[in-house]
């Protein structure tokens, strides 16, 4: 199960899903499948952290460091589409859920299509 924890820590949702499929039967037999499946939210949180870091660094390099807390949702949509084949609506739902449970701090601006941290 080390691969599952490594995938969560790196925010690698593809690998997490693959490892969850590999270990599905033993997890179900031990009664921990649903608990481990909840770790997917933590993997999503780590994806958001990595995207935020990359975008903030690019904005700082462009001399726009004061805008690093306002980021375009399209970047997150691309990252989630690559990691978990999510469409734009699913990304909004995932981000809203992460904000609701307190995993990330911020809000979504639908009018400007941005996430504000």
């Amino acid at each position: 199960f080390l691969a599952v924890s490594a995938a969560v820590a790196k925010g690698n949702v593809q690998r997490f899903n693959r490892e969850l499929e590999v270990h599905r039967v033993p997890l179900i037999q031990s009664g921990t499948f649903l608990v481990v499946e909840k770790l997917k939210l933590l993997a999503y949180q780590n994806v958001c952290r990595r995207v935020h870091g990359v975008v903030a660094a690019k904005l700082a390099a462009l001399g726009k460091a004061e805008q690093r807390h306002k980021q375009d949702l399209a970047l997150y949509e691309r990252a989630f589409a690559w990691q978990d084949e999510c469409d734009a609506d699913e990304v909004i739902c995932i981000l809203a859920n992460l904000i609701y449970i307190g995993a990330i701090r911020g809000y979504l601006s639908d009018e400007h299509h941005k996430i504000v941290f």
Side-chain angles (χ1 to χ4, degrees), residues 60-78:
L62 293 172
K64 299 179 181 180
E66 68 279 352
Q67 295 179 0
R68 71 181 180 274
H69 63 282
K70 296 178 189 173
Q71 297 183 357
D72 191 21
L73 279 174
L75 302 168
Y76 291 86
E77 290 169 1
R78 271 188 251 137

Side-chain angles (χ1 to χ4, degrees), residues 7 15 23 25-26 31 37 43-44 51 59 62 65 75-76 79 83 85 89 100 108 113:
R15 185 173 176 197
H23 299 295
V25 173
E37 193 173 41
Y44 284 141
V51 172
L59 287 173
L62 293 172
L75 302 168
Y76 291 86
Q83 282 289 320
E85 300 176 5
D89 292 332
Y100 176 75
L108 297 170
H113 201 66

Side-chain angles (χ1 to χ4, degrees), residues 22-112:
V22 168
H23 299 295
R24 179 179 296 272
V25 173
L27 289 170
I28 290 172
Q29 289 173 345
S30 64
T32 58
F33 179 77
L34 293 176
V35 175
V36 173
E37 193 173 41
K38 281 190 170 194
L39 291 175
K40 192 172 194 176
L41 285 175
L42 187 57
Y44 284 141
Q45 177 188 11
N46 288 333
V47 169
C48 289
R49 182 181 305 150
R50 287 181 180 265
V51 172
H52 179 271
V54 168
V55 173
K58 282 187 179 182
L59 287 173
L62 293 172
K64 299 179 181 180
E66 68 279 352
Q67 295 179 0
R68 71 181 180 274
H69 63 282
K70 296 178 189 173
Q71 297 183 357
D72 191 21
L73 279 174
L75 302 168
Y76 291 86
E77 290 169 1
R78 271 188 251 137
F80 279 89
W82 175 63
Q83 282 289 320
D84 202 22
E85 300 176 5
C86 296
D87 64 6
D89 292 332
E90 288 176 313
V91 172
I92 299 290
C93 289
I94 291 168
L95 290 172
N97 191 27
L98 288 172
I99 291 168
Y100 176 75
I101 64 173
I104 58 175
R105 289 178 290 169
Y107 64 91
L108 297 170
S109 174
D110 193 41
E111 181 180 337
H112 300 290

